[in-house]
Coordinates of all heavy atoms in Angstrom, one line a residue:
M1 N 26.4 -135.5 132.4 CA 27.3 -136.4 132.3 C 27.6 -137.1 133.7 O 27.6 -136.3 134.7 CB 28.7 -135.7 131.9 CG 29.8 -136.6 131.9 SD 31.2 -135.6 131.1 CE 32.5 -135.9 132.2
K2 N 27.7 -138.4 133.7 CA 27.9 -139.1 134.9 C 29.3 -139.7 134.9 O 29.7 -140.2 133.9 CB 26.8 -140.2 135.1 CG 27.0 -140.9 136.5 CD 26.0 -142.0 136.5 CE 26.0 -142.7 137.9 NZ 24.9 -143.6 138.1
V3 N 30.0 -139.4 136.0 CA 31.4 -140.0 136.1 C 31.5 -140.9 137.3 O 31.1 -140.4 138.5 CB 32.4 -138.8 136.1 CG1 33.9 -139.4 136.4 CG2 32.3 -138.0 134.9
E4 N 31.9 -142.1 137.1 CA 32.2 -142.9 138.2 C 33.7 -143.0 138.7 O 34.4 -143.4 137.8 CB 31.6 -144.2 138.0 CG 30.0 -144.2 137.7 CD 29.4 -145.5 137.6 OE1 30.0 -146.6 138.0 OE2 28.3 -145.6 137.1
L5 N 33.9 -142.7 139.9 CA 35.3 -142.8 140.4 C 35.4 -144.0 141.3 O 34.6 -144.1 142.3 CB 35.7 -141.6 141.1 CG 35.6 -140.2 140.3 CD1 35.9 -139.0 141.3 CD2 36.6 -140.3 139.1
D6 N 36.4 -144.9 141.0 CA 36.6 -146.1 141.9 C 37.8 -145.8 142.8 O 38.9 -145.8 142.3 CB 36.7 -147.2 140.9 CG 37.0 -148.6 141.6 OD1 37.2 -148.6 142.8 OD2 36.6 -149.6 141.0
G7 N 37.5 -145.7 144.1 CA 38.5 -145.6 145.1 C 39.6 -146.6 145.1 O 40.6 -146.3 145.5
R8 N 39.3 -147.8 144.6 CA 40.3 -148.9 144.6 C 41.4 -148.5 143.5 O 42.4 -149.2 143.6 CB 39.5 -150.1 144.1 CG 38.6 -150.6 145.2 CD 37.8 -151.9 144.6 NE 37.2 -151.6 143.4 CZ 36.3 -152.4 142.8 NH1 36.3 -153.7 143.2 NH2 35.9 -152.0 141.7
L9 N 41.2 -147.6 142.6 CA 42.2 -147.3 141.7 C 43.0 -146.1 142.0 O 43.6 -145.6 141.1 CB 41.4 -147.1 140.3 CG 40.6 -148.3 139.9 CD1 39.9 -148.0 138.5 CD2 41.4 -149.4 139.7
M10 N 42.8 -145.6 143.2 CA 43.6 -144.5 143.5 C 44.6 -144.9 144.7 O 44.3 -145.2 145.7 CB 42.7 -143.4 144.2 CG 41.7 -142.8 143.2 SD 40.6 -141.5 143.9 CE 39.1 -141.8 142.9
F11 N 45.8 -145.1 144.2 CA 46.9 -145.6 144.9 C 47.8 -144.7 145.8 O 48.2 -145.0 146.9 CB 47.8 -146.6 144.1 CG 47.0 -147.6 143.4 CD1 46.8 -147.5 142.0 CD2 46.4 -148.7 143.9 CE1 46.1 -148.4 141.2 CE2 45.7 -149.6 143.2 CZ 45.5 -149.4 141.8
D12 N 48.2 -143.5 145.1 CA 48.9 -142.4 145.6 C 48.5 -141.2 144.9 O 47.6 -141.2 144.1 CB 50.5 -142.8 145.5 CG 50.8 -143.1 144.1 OD1 50.2 -142.5 143.0 OD2 51.7 -143.8 143.7
K13 N 49.2 -140.0 145.2 CA 48.8 -138.7 144.8 C 48.9 -138.8 143.3 O 47.9 -138.3 142.6 CB 49.5 -137.6 145.4 CG 49.2 -137.4 146.9 CD 50.1 -136.2 147.4 CE 49.8 -136.0 148.9 NZ 50.7 -134.9 149.4
A14 N 50.1 -139.2 142.8 CA 50.3 -139.1 141.4 C 49.3 -140.0 140.5 O 48.7 -139.4 139.5 CB 51.7 -139.6 141.0
S15 N 49.2 -141.2 141.0 CA 48.2 -142.1 140.1 C 46.7 -141.6 140.3 O 46.0 -141.6 139.5 CB 48.3 -143.4 140.7 OG 47.8 -143.7 142.0
T16 N 46.5 -141.0 141.4 CA 45.1 -140.4 141.8 C 44.8 -139.3 140.8 O 43.8 -139.3 140.1 CB 44.9 -139.9 143.1 OG1 45.0 -141.1 144.0 CG2 43.5 -139.3 143.3
H17 N 45.7 -138.4 140.5 CA 45.5 -137.3 139.7 C 45.5 -137.7 138.2 O 44.8 -137.1 137.4 CB 46.5 -136.1 140.0 CG 46.1 -135.4 141.3 ND1 45.1 -134.6 141.4 CD2 46.7 -135.5 142.5 CE1 45.1 -134.0 142.6 NE2 46.0 -134.5 143.2
T18 N 46.2 -138.6 137.9 CA 46.2 -139.2 136.5 C 44.9 -139.7 136.3 O 44.2 -139.5 135.3 CB 47.3 -140.2 136.2 OG1 48.5 -139.6 136.4 CG2 47.2 -140.9 134.9
Y19 N 44.4 -140.6 137.2 CA 43.0 -141.1 137.1 C 41.8 -140.1 137.0 O 41.0 -140.1 136.1 CB 42.8 -142.0 138.2 CG 41.4 -142.8 138.4 CD1 41.1 -143.7 137.5 CD2 40.6 -142.4 139.5 CE1 39.9 -144.4 137.6 CE2 39.4 -143.0 139.6 CZ 38.9 -144.0 138.5 OH 37.8 -144.7 138.6
L20 N 41.9 -139.1 137.9 CA 40.9 -138.0 137.9 C 41.0 -137.3 136.6 O 39.8 -136.9 136.1 CB 41.2 -137.0 139.1 CG 41.1 -137.7 140.5 CD1 41.4 -136.6 141.6 CD2 39.5 -138.0 140.7
Q21 N 42.1 -137.0 136.1 CA 42.2 -136.3 134.7 C 41.7 -137.2 133.7 O 40.8 -136.5 133.0 CB 43.7 -136.0 134.5 CG 43.9 -135.2 133.3 CD 45.3 -134.7 133.0 OE1 46.3 -135.2 133.7 NE2 45.6 -133.7 132.2
Q22 N 41.8 -138.4 133.7 CA 41.3 -139.3 132.7 C 39.7 -139.3 132.8 O 38.9 -139.2 131.9 CB 41.8 -140.7 132.7 CG 43.3 -140.6 132.3 CD 43.9 -142.0 132.6 OE1 43.3 -142.8 133.3 NE2 45.1 -142.2 132.1
Q23 N 39.2 -139.7 134.0 CA 37.8 -139.9 134.3 C 37.0 -138.6 134.2 O 35.9 -138.6 133.6 CB 37.6 -140.5 135.7 CG 38.1 -141.9 135.8 CD 37.7 -142.8 134.9 OE1 38.3 -143.3 134.0 NE2 36.4 -143.3 135.1
L24 N 37.5 -137.5 134.5 CA 36.7 -136.3 134.5 C 37.0 -135.4 133.3 O 36.4 -134.3 133.1 CB 37.1 -135.4 135.8 CG 36.7 -136.0 137.1 CD1 37.3 -135.3 138.2 CD2 35.2 -136.1 137.2
A25 N 37.9 -136.0 132.4 CA 38.1 -135.3 131.1 C 38.7 -133.9 131.4 O 38.3 -132.9 130.8 CB 37.0 -135.2 130.1
L26 N 39.6 -133.9 132.2 CA 40.3 -132.6 132.6 C 41.4 -132.2 131.5 O 41.9 -133.1 131.0 CB 41.0 -132.6 134.0 CG 40.1 -133.0 135.1 CD1 40.9 -133.2 136.5 CD2 39.0 -132.0 135.3
P27 N 41.5 -131.0 131.3 CA 42.4 -130.5 130.2 C 43.8 -130.8 130.5 O 44.2 -131.0 131.7 CB 42.1 -129.0 130.2 CG 41.7 -128.6 131.5 CD 40.9 -129.9 132.1
A28 N 44.7 -130.8 129.5 CA 46.1 -131.0 129.7 C 46.8 -130.1 130.6 O 47.8 -130.5 131.3 CB 46.8 -131.0 128.2
Y29 N 46.3 -129.0 130.7 CA 47.0 -128.0 131.6 C 46.6 -128.2 133.2 O 46.9 -127.4 134.0 CB 46.7 -126.4 131.2 CG 45.2 -126.2 131.3 CD1 44.6 -125.7 132.5 CD2 44.4 -126.2 130.1 CE1 43.2 -125.4 132.5 CE2 43.1 -125.7 130.1 CZ 42.5 -125.4 131.3 OH 41.2 -125.0 131.4
Y30 N 45.8 -129.2 133.4 CA 45.4 -129.5 134.8 C 46.6 -129.6 135.7 O 47.6 -130.3 135.4 CB 44.6 -130.9 134.7 CG 44.3 -131.5 136.2 CD1 43.8 -130.7 137.2 CD2 44.7 -132.8 136.4 CE1 43.5 -131.3 138.3 CE2 44.4 -133.3 137.7 CZ 43.9 -132.7 138.6 OH 43.5 -133.2 139.8
G31 N 46.7 -129.0 136.8 CA 47.9 -128.8 137.6 C 48.0 -129.9 138.6 O 49.1 -130.0 139.2
R32 N 47.2 -131.0 138.5 CA 47.3 -132.2 139.3 C 47.6 -132.0 140.8 O 48.5 -132.5 141.4 CB 48.6 -133.0 138.6 CG 48.4 -133.3 137.2 CD 49.6 -134.0 136.6 NE 50.0 -135.1 137.2 CZ 49.4 -136.4 137.1 NH1 48.4 -136.5 136.2 NH2 49.9 -137.4 137.8
N33 N 46.7 -131.2 141.2 CA 46.7 -130.9 142.7 C 45.2 -130.6 143.1 O 44.4 -130.3 142.2 CB 47.7 -129.9 143.2 CG 47.3 -128.5 142.6 OD1 46.4 -128.0 142.9 ND2 48.3 -128.0 141.8
L34 N 45.0 -130.6 144.3 CA 43.5 -130.4 144.8 C 43.0 -129.0 144.5 O 41.9 -128.7 144.2 CB 43.3 -130.7 146.2 CG 43.7 -132.2 146.6 CD1 43.5 -132.4 148.1 CD2 42.8 -133.0 145.8
D35 N 43.9 -127.9 144.5 CA 43.4 -126.6 144.2 C 43.1 -126.5 142.7 O 42.0 -125.9 142.4 CB 44.5 -125.5 144.6 CG 44.8 -125.3 145.9 OD1 43.7 -125.5 146.8 OD2 45.8 -125.0 146.4
A36 N 43.9 -127.0 141.9 CA 43.5 -127.1 140.5 C 42.3 -127.9 140.0 O 41.5 -127.5 139.4 CB 44.8 -127.7 139.7
L37 N 42.0 -129.0 140.8 CA 40.9 -129.8 140.6 C 39.6 -129.1 141.1 O 38.6 -128.9 140.3 CB 41.0 -131.1 141.6 CG 39.7 -132.0 141.5 CD1 39.5 -132.6 140.1 CD2 39.9 -133.2 142.5
Y38 N 39.6 -128.4 142.2 CA 38.7 -127.5 142.6 C 38.3 -126.5 141.7 O 37.0 -126.2 141.3 CB 39.0 -126.9 144.0 CG 37.7 -125.9 144.5 CD1 36.8 -126.4 145.2 CD2 37.9 -124.6 144.2 CE1 35.8 -125.5 145.6 CE2 37.0 -123.7 144.7 CZ 35.9 -124.2 145.3 OH 34.9 -123.4 145.8
D39 N 39.3 -125.8 141.2 CA 39.1 -124.7 140.2 C 38.4 -125.2 138.9 O 37.3 -124.6 138.5 CB 40.4 -124.0 139.8 CG 40.9 -123.2 140.9 OD1 40.4 -122.9 141.8 OD2 42.2 -122.9 140.9
L40 N 38.9 -126.3 138.4 CA 38.2 -126.8 137.1 C 36.9 -127.4 137.4 O 36.0 -127.1 136.5 CB 39.1 -127.9 136.6 CG 40.4 -127.4 136.0 CD1 41.4 -128.6 135.7 CD2 40.2 -126.5 134.7
L41 N 36.5 -128.0 138.6 CA 35.2 -128.4 138.9 C 34.2 -127.3 139.1 O 33.1 -127.5 138.6 CB 35.2 -129.4 140.0 CG 35.9 -130.8 139.7 CD1 35.9 -131.6 141.0 CD2 35.2 -131.5 138.6
T42 N 34.6 -126.2 139.8 CA 33.7 -125.2 139.8 C 33.5 -124.3 138.7 O 32.5 -123.6 138.7 CB 34.2 -124.3 141.1 OG1 35.5 -123.7 140.9 CG2 34.2 -125.1 142.4
E43 N 34.4 -124.4 137.7 CA 34.2 -123.7 136.6 C 33.3 -124.3 135.5 O 32.9 -123.7 134.6 CB 35.6 -123.4 135.8 CG 36.5 -122.4 136.6 CD 37.9 -122.4 136.0 OE1 38.1 -123.2 135.1 OE2 38.7 -121.7 136.6
R44 N 33.1 -125.6 135.8 CA 32.2 -126.4 134.7 C 30.8 -125.8 134.7 O 30.2 -125.7 135.8 CB 32.3 -127.8 135.0 CG 33.4 -128.5 134.7 CD 33.3 -129.9 134.5 NE 34.5 -130.5 134.0 CZ 34.7 -131.8 133.8 NH1 33.7 -132.5 133.8 NH2 35.8 -132.2 133.2
A45 N 30.3 -125.5 133.4 CA 28.9 -125.1 133.3 C 27.9 -126.3 133.0 O 26.8 -126.3 133.4 CB 28.9 -124.1 132.2
Q46 N 28.5 -127.3 132.2 CA 27.6 -128.4 132.0 C 27.4 -129.4 133.1 O 28.3 -129.5 133.9 CB 28.2 -129.3 130.7 CG 29.4 -130.2 131.1 CD 30.7 -129.5 131.0 OE1 30.9 -128.2 131.1 NE2 31.7 -130.2 130.8
P47 N 26.2 -129.9 133.3 CA 26.0 -130.7 134.5 C 26.9 -132.0 134.5 O 27.1 -132.6 133.5 CB 24.5 -131.2 134.2 CG 23.9 -130.2 133.3 CD 25.1 -129.8 132.4
I48 N 27.4 -132.3 135.7 CA 28.1 -133.5 136.0 C 27.8 -134.0 137.3 O 27.6 -133.4 138.3 CB 29.6 -133.1 135.8 CG1 30.5 -134.3 136.1 CG2 30.0 -132.0 136.8 CD1 32.0 -134.1 135.8
E49 N 27.6 -135.4 137.2 CA 27.4 -136.1 138.4 C 28.5 -137.1 138.7 O 28.9 -137.8 137.9 CB 26.1 -137.0 138.3 CG 25.8 -137.9 139.5 CD 24.7 -138.8 139.2 OE1 24.1 -138.9 138.2 OE2 24.4 -139.6 140.2
I50 N 29.2 -136.9 139.9 CA 30.4 -137.6 140.3 C 29.9 -138.7 141.2 O 29.2 -138.2 142.3 CB 31.5 -136.8 140.8 CG1 32.0 -135.8 139.7 CG2 32.7 -137.7 141.3 CD1 32.9 -134.9 140.3
V51 N 30.2 -139.9 141.0 CA 29.8 -141.0 141.9 C 31.0 -141.6 142.4 O 31.8 -142.3 141.6 CB 28.8 -142.1 141.3 CG1 28.6 -143.2 142.4 CG2 27.5 -141.4 140.9
L52 N 31.4 -141.5 143.6 CA 32.6 -142.1 144.3 C 32.3 -143.4 145.0 O 31.5 -143.3 145.9 CB 33.4 -141.1 145.2 CG 34.5 -141.6 145.9 CD1 35.6 -142.0 145.0 CD2 34.9 -140.6 147.0
S53 N 32.9 -144.4 144.6 CA 32.6 -145.7 145.3 C 33.9 -146.2 145.9 O 35.1 -145.8 145.6 CB 32.1 -146.8 144.2 OG 33.0 -146.9 143.2
Y54 N 33.8 -147.2 146.7 CA 35.0 -147.7 147.5 C 35.8 -146.7 148.2 O 37.0 -146.6 148.2 CB 35.8 -148.6 146.6 CG 35.1 -149.7 145.9 CD1 34.6 -149.5 144.7 CD2 34.9 -150.8 146.6 CE1 33.8 -150.5 144.0 CE2 34.1 -151.9 146.0 CZ 33.7 -151.8 144.7 OH 33.0 -152.7 144.2
E55 N 35.0 -145.8 149.1 CA 35.7 -144.7 149.7 C 36.6 -145.3 150.8 O 37.7 -144.8 151.0 CB 34.6 -144.0 150.6 CG 35.1 -142.9 151.5 CD 34.1 -142.3 152.2 OE1 33.0 -142.7 152.2 OE2 34.3 -141.2 152.8
A56 N 36.3 -146.4 151.5 CA 37.1 -147.1 152.5 C 38.5 -147.5 151.9 O 39.5 -147.3 152.7 CB 36.4 -148.2 153.2
M57 N 38.4 -148.0 150.8 CA 39.7 -148.5 150.2 C 40.5 -147.4 149.8 O 41.8 -147.3 149.9 CB 39.3 -149.4 149.0 CG 40.6 -149.9 148.2 SD 41.7 -151.0 149.3 CE 40.8 -152.6 149.1
M58 N 39.9 -146.3 149.3 CA 40.6 -145.1 148.9 C 41.3 -144.5 150.2 O 42.4 -144.1 150.1 CB 39.7 -144.1 148.3 CG 40.4 -142.8 147.8 SD 39.3 -141.6 147.1 CE 38.5 -141.0 148.5
K59 N 40.5 -144.5 151.3 CA 41.1 -144.0 152.4 C 42.3 -144.8 153.0 O 43.3 -144.4 153.4 CB 40.1 -143.9 153.6 CG 39.1 -142.7 153.3 CD 38.0 -142.5 154.4 CE 37.1 -141.4 154.2 NZ 36.1 -141.4 155.3
H60 N 42.1 -146.1 152.8 CA 43.3 -146.9 153.2 C 44.6 -146.7 152.3 O 45.6 -146.6 152.9 CB 42.8 -148.4 153.2 CG 43.9 -149.4 153.3 ND1 44.4 -149.7 154.6 CD2 44.6 -150.2 152.5 CE1 45.3 -150.5 154.5 NE2 45.4 -150.9 153.2
Q61 N 44.3 -146.5 151.1 CA 45.5 -146.4 150.2 C 46.1 -145.0 150.2 O 47.3 -144.8 150.2 CB 45.0 -146.7 148.8 CG 44.7 -148.2 148.6 CD 44.1 -148.6 147.2 OE1 44.2 -149.7 146.9 NE2 43.7 -147.6 146.4
L62 N 45.2 -143.9 150.4 CA 45.7 -142.6 150.4 C 45.9 -141.9 151.7 O 46.4 -140.8 151.8 CB 44.7 -141.7 149.5 CG 44.6 -142.1 148.1 CD1 43.6 -141.1 147.4 CD2 46.0 -141.9 147.2
G63 N 45.4 -142.5 152.7 CA 45.5 -141.9 154.0 C 44.8 -140.6 154.1 O 43.7 -140.4 153.6
R64 N 45.5 -139.6 154.7 CA 44.9 -138.3 155.0 C 44.5 -137.6 153.5 O 43.7 -136.7 153.6 CB 45.8 -137.4 155.8 CG 45.9 -137.9 157.3 CD 46.5 -137.0 158.2 NE 47.9 -136.6 157.7 CZ 48.6 -135.6 158.1 NH1 48.1 -134.7 158.9 NH2 49.8 -135.4 157.6
Y65 N 45.2 -137.9 152.6 CA 45.0 -137.3 151.3 C 43.5 -137.6 150.8 O 43.0 -136.9 150.1 CB 46.1 -137.7 150.3 CG 46.1 -136.8 149.0 CD1 46.7 -135.5 149.3 CD2 45.6 -137.1 147.8 CE1 46.6 -134.6 148.1 CE2 45.7 -136.3 146.8 CZ 46.1 -135.0 146.9 OH 46.4 -134.2 145.8
A66 N 43.1 -138.8 151.2 CA 41.7 -139.2 150.7 C 40.7 -138.2 151.3 O 39.7 -137.8 150.6 CB 41.4 -140.6 151.1
K67 N 40.8 -137.8 152.5 CA 39.9 -137.0 153.3 C 40.0 -135.5 152.6 O 39.0 -135.0 152.3 CB 40.2 -136.7 154.7 CG 39.3 -136.0 155.5 CD 39.5 -135.9 157.0 CE 38.5 -135.1 157.6 NZ 38.6 -135.0 159.1
A68 N 41.2 -135.1 152.3 CA 41.3 -133.7 151.6 C 40.7 -133.9 150.1 O 40.0 -132.9 149.7 CB 42.8 -133.6 151.5
L69 N 40.9 -134.9 149.4 CA 40.3 -135.1 148.2 C 38.7 -135.0 148.3 O 38.0 -134.4 147.4 CB 40.7 -136.5 147.5 CG 40.0 -136.9 146.2 CD1 40.1 -135.7 145.1 CD2 40.6 -138.1 145.6
I70 N 38.1 -135.8 149.2 CA 36.7 -135.8 149.4 C 36.2 -134.5 149.9 O 35.2 -133.9 149.3 CB 36.3 -136.9 150.4 CG1 36.6 -138.3 149.9 CG2 34.7 -136.8 150.8 CD1 36.5 -139.4 150.9
N71 N 36.9 -133.8 150.7 CA 36.5 -132.4 150.9 C 36.5 -131.5 149.8 O 35.7 -130.6 149.6 CB 37.4 -131.9 152.1 CG 37.2 -132.4 153.4 OD1 36.1 -133.1 153.8 ND2 38.1 -132.4 154.3
T72 N 37.5 -131.7 149.0 CA 37.7 -130.8 147.7 C 36.4 -131.1 146.8 O 35.9 -130.2 146.2 CB 38.9 -131.1 147.0 OG1 40.1 -130.8 147.8 CG2 39.0 -130.4 145.6
L73 N 36.1 -132.3 146.6 CA 35.0 -132.7 145.8 C 33.6 -132.2 146.4 O 32.8 -131.5 145.6 CB 34.8 -134.2 145.6 CG 36.0 -134.9 144.8 CD1 35.8 -136.4 144.9 CD2 36.0 -134.4 143.4
R74 N 33.5 -132.2 147.7 CA 32.3 -131.9 148.3 C 32.2 -130.3 148.2 O 31.2 -129.6 148.0 CB 32.2 -132.1 149.8 CG 31.8 -133.6 150.0 CD 31.7 -133.9 151.5 NE 31.2 -135.2 151.8 CZ 31.6 -136.1 152.7 NH1 32.6 -135.7 153.5 NH2 31.2 -137.3 152.8
D75 N 33.3 -129.6 148.5 CA 33.4 -128.1 148.4 C 33.0 -127.6 147.0 O 32.3 -126.7 146.7 CB 34.7 -127.5 148.8 CG 35.0 -127.7 150.2 OD1 34.0 -128.0 151.0 OD2 36.1 -127.4 150.6
A76 N 33.5 -128.3 146.0 CA 33.2 -128.0 144.6 C 31.7 -128.2 144.3 O 31.1 -127.2 143.6 CB 34.1 -128.9 143.6
A77 N 31.2 -129.3 144.8 CA 29.7 -129.5 144.6 C 28.9 -128.5 145.2 O 27.8 -128.1 144.7 CB 29.4 -130.9 145.0
E78 N 29.2 -128.0 146.4 CA 28.6 -127.0 147.1 C 28.6 -125.6 146.4 O 27.7 -124.8 146.5 CB 29.0 -126.8 148.5 CG 28.7 -128.0 149.5 CD 29.3 -127.8 150.8 OE1 30.0 -126.8 151.3 OE2 29.3 -128.8 151.6
N79 N 29.7 -125.3 145.6 CA 29.9 -124.1 145.0 C 29.6 -124.1 143.6 O 29.7 -123.0 142.9 CB 31.2 -123.6 145.2 CG 31.5 -123.2 146.6 OD1 30.9 -122.3 147.1 ND2 32.3 -124.0 147.4
N80 N 29.1 -125.3 142.9 CA 28.8 -125.3 141.6 C 27.6 -126.1 141.4 O 27.5 -127.3 141.6 CB 29.9 -126.0 140.8 CG 29.5 -126.1 139.2 OD1 28.4 -125.7 138.8 ND2 30.5 -126.4 138.5
P81 N 26.4 -125.5 141.2 CA 25.1 -126.0 141.2 C 25.0 -127.1 140.0 O 24.0 -128.0 140.1 CB 24.1 -124.9 140.8 CG 24.9 -123.7 140.5 CD 26.3 -123.9 141.0
A82 N 25.9 -127.1 139.1 CA 26.0 -128.1 138.0 C 26.5 -129.3 138.4 O 26.6 -130.4 137.6 CB 26.6 -127.5 136.8
L83 N 27.2 -129.4 139.5 CA 28.0 -130.6 140.1 C 27.3 -131.2 141.2 O 26.9 -130.5 142.2 CB 29.4 -130.1 140.4 CG 30.3 -131.2 141.1 CD1 30.7 -132.2 140.1 CD2 31.6 -130.5 141.5
T84 N 27.1 -132.6 141.0 CA 26.7 -133.3 142.3 C 27.6 -134.4 142.6 O 28.3 -135.0 141.6 CB 25.2 -133.9 142.0 OG1 25.3 -134.8 140.9 CG2 24.1 -132.8 141.7
L85 N 27.6 -134.8 143.8 CA 28.6 -135.7 144.4 C 27.8 -136.7 145.2 O 27.1 -136.3 146.0 CB 29.7 -135.1 145.3 CG 30.7 -136.0 146.0 CD1 31.5 -136.8 144.9 CD2 31.5 -135.3 146.9
T86 N 28.0 -138.0 144.8 CA 27.4 -139.0 145.6 C 28.6 -140.0 146.0 O 29.4 -140.3 145.1 CB 26.4 -139.9 144.8 OG1 25.5 -139.0 144.3 CG2 25.8 -141.0 145.6
I87 N 28.7 -140.3 147.4 CA 29.7 -141.2 147.7 C 29.0 -142.6 148.2 O 28.1 -142.6 149.0 CB 30.4 -140.7 149.0 CG1 31.1 -139.4 148.5 CG2 31.5 -141.7 149.6 CD1 31.8 -138.7 149.6
E88 N 29.4 -143.6 147.5 CA 28.9 -145.0 147.8 C 29.9 -145.9 148.4 O 31.1 -145.6 148.1 CB 28.3 -145.6 146.5 CG 27.2 -144.9 145.9 CD 26.8 -145.5 144.5 OE1 27.5 -146.3 144.0 OE2 25.8 -145.1 144.0
E89 N 29.5 -146.9 149.2 CA 30.5 -147.7 149.7 C 30.5 -149.0 148.8 O 29.8 -149.5 148.1 CB 30.4 -148.1 151.1 CG 31.6 -148.7 151.8 CD 32.9 -148.2 151.5 OE1 33.1 -147.0 151.4 OE2 33.8 -148.9 151.1

């Protein structure tokens, strides 16, 4: 499964987690925070490729939270062999 995340569509924490839940097909019980995102991504067994585009715009809109989100995605990819992350500009 390939999921494309558009950094231009991440405006603040709340909208970002709504967007992530939709794009990544996260369950209704998703805690809408980075710890919950990490847990769900590292538990996935089926292959998933996440492609994040417009990183600079996301950083502009989310500030430091963008860096924390990217670190969470990278950490999840490092700890789950079924998950790959590509960051495009």
Side-chain angles (χ1 to χ4, degrees):
M1 176 171 131
K2 183 176 182 178
V3 175
E4 296 188 21
L5 299 177
D6 186 334
R8 298 174 298 183
L9 301 177
M10 299 182 209
F11 308 107
D12 55 32
K13 289 180 187 180
S15 67
T16 295
H17 285 286
T18 298
Y19 178 68
L20 292 172
Q21 187 170 17
Q22 293 167 348
Q23 294 301 109
L24 296 168
L26 300 175
Y29 63 82
Y30 169 53
R32 301 176 54 84
N33 62 64
L34 296 179
D35 289 335
L37 178 63
Y38 175 85
D39 290 344
L40 289 170
L41 290 177
T42 56
E43 292 171 358
R44 287 202 171 184
Q46 74 271 26
I48 181 170
E49 177 187 0
I50 298 174
V51 178
L52 173 64
S53 59
Y54 300 99
E55 176 188 16
M57 180 60 79
M58 183 181 76
K59 286 180 176 179
H60 174 73
Q61 295 176 156
L62 295 177
R64 293 188 305 163
Y65 197 72
K67 183 176 180 180
L69 172 57
I70 291 168
N71 287 341
T72 299
L73 294 172
R74 283 188 176 138
D75 289 348
E78 288 176 9
N79 289 296
N80 183 349
L83 173 64
T84 59
L85 173 66
T86 304
I87 299 176
E88 300 176 343
E89 194 45 47

